[in-house]
Amino acid sequence: MERIDGQELLRLYGRGQRDFLLLEICGASLSRAGLSRINLMGTDLVATNLSGADLSGADLSGTDLTRADLSYANLSDADLTHAILGEANLTGANLSGACLQGVILGGEEPKPPNFSGANLTRTNLCNSQLPNANFRGANLTGADLQDSNLTDTNFSEACLLGTFLKQVNLSRGNLSRANLFGTYLAEANLTGADLTRANLECVNMYGADLSNVNLEEARVILAIMPDGRVEGDRRLEYDLPDFRRGQIRVTPVVEANSASI
C-alpha cells in the first residue's frame, strides 16, 4: 500500500486529482480540508484528523477510520459502506444521506464510534455492527438500520422520527427521552431496553421482544404492540395489516429536531 502525506494529498487534489484508492494516509492532519467528492476507497485513514473537513459526496467505502477524528465534518451523501469506525469521533458530523451499510468496528477489542449530536437523516446503516455506539442527541430521521447490531447502544434524547429499525438488536439499549414517532420496530429485540419518557406515538412494534423493557412515563399512543393490538386511541386511519407489514410508513408531523417530549 503506497503511503502519501496529507500535504501531498491536498496538493494533488488541488490540481484536480480525485482518485486516491488503496493508499496509506494514516495520522495525517486534514482538519477543515475541502475534499468533496474525493475517492478514498480502501484507504488507510487510521488516526487521521478530518475534523471539520468537507467530505460531502466522498467515496470512503472500505476505508479504515479507526480512531479518526471526523467531528463536525461534512459527510453528507458520502459512501462509507463497510468502513471501519472503531473509536472514530463523529461528534456533530453531518451524515445526512450518507451510506454506512455494513460498517464495522474492527479489531480484537473494538471500541464504538461516537455519533453524539450527528445528523444522520436518511442515512443507510443496514446490517451494521455498532454495539455500544453513542448516538445521544443524534438526528436519525428517516434512517434505515434494518438488521443492525445495536446492543447496549445509547440513543438517549435522539430523534428517530420514521426510522426503520426492523429486526435490529437493541437489547439493553438506552432510548430514554428519545423521539420514536412513526418508527418501525417490527421484530426488533428490545430486551432490557430503557424507554423511559420516550415518545412511542405511532410506533410499530409488531413481533418485537419487549422483555424487561422499561416504559416508565413513555408516551404510547396509536402504537402497534408485539401482539398486534393498538395501544392508546384506537381511531387509526391506516389499514392495520398493511401497516404491520411495513407497507405504510408514517410521515412525522412534529418538529424533526424535537427529541424529548
Side-chain angles (χ1 to χ4, degrees), residues 5-220:
D5 61 31
Q7 292 304 311
E8 177 67 5
L9 182 145
L10 291 174
R11 185 184 70 81
L12 294 172
Y13 183 90
R15 293 176 58 182
Q17 182 173 333
R18 294 295 180 268
D19 293 329
F20 298 89
L21 286 70
L22 302 172
L23 298 177
E24 184 180 345
I25 316 174
C26 55
S29 179
L30 295 167
S31 177
R32 296 186 297 279
L35 298 168
S36 62
R37 301 195 177 282
I38 192 171
N39 184 355
L40 292 163
M41 183 175 64
T43 292
D44 185 347
L45 293 164
V46 172
T48 298
N49 182 359
L50 290 156
S51 59
D54 181 4
L55 291 158
S56 55
D59 187 346
L60 296 163
S61 56
T63 55
D64 190 346
L65 290 159
T66 302
R67 299 191 305 280
D69 186 355
L70 290 155
S71 56
Y72 303 100
N74 182 3
L75 290 153
S76 56
D77 299 313
D79 184 0
L80 288 95
T81 303
H82 299 299
I84 302 173
L85 295 176
E87 297 183 71
N89 182 7
L90 291 118
T91 302
N94 180 4
L95 288 140
S96 59
C99 179
L100 286 86
Q101 185 169 359
V103 295
I104 59 174
L105 300 184
E108 295 181 2
E109 297 182 7
K111 295 183 179 179
N114 183 2
F115 291 98
S116 60
N119 181 358
L120 291 146
T121 55
R122 304 181 309 281
T123 299
N124 182 349
L125 279 154
C126 292
N127 303 301
S128 298
Q129 298 294 319
L130 292 169
N132 297 291
N134 183 8
F135 288 91
R136 180 172 183 174
N139 185 354
L140 292 107
T141 300
D144 189 347
L145 292 92
Q146 181 173 353
D147 295 317
S148 293
N149 178 10
L150 301 167
T151 55
D152 299 295
T153 294
N154 183 5
F155 283 101
S156 60
E157 302 180 19
C159 182
L160 294 151
L161 294 173
T163 304
F164 197 69
L165 294 166
K166 183 179 180 181
Q167 295 178 333
V168 299
N169 187 351
L170 281 162
S171 57
R172 301 181 303 279
N174 180 2
L175 293 107
S176 59
R177 298 181 65 88
N179 190 348
L180 294 110
F181 183 98
T183 295
Y184 192 79
L185 281 160
E187 302 175 56
N189 181 1
L190 289 152
T191 305
D194 183 2
L195 288 157
T196 56
R197 302 197 68 186
N199 182 8
L200 298 172
E201 187 172 354
C202 295
V203 168
N204 187 342
M205 296 182 285
Y206 186 64
D209 187 347
L210 301 183
S211 303
N212 301 314
V213 168
N214 186 352
L215 289 166
E216 185 178 358
E217 296 186 61
R219 179 182 173 88
V220 184

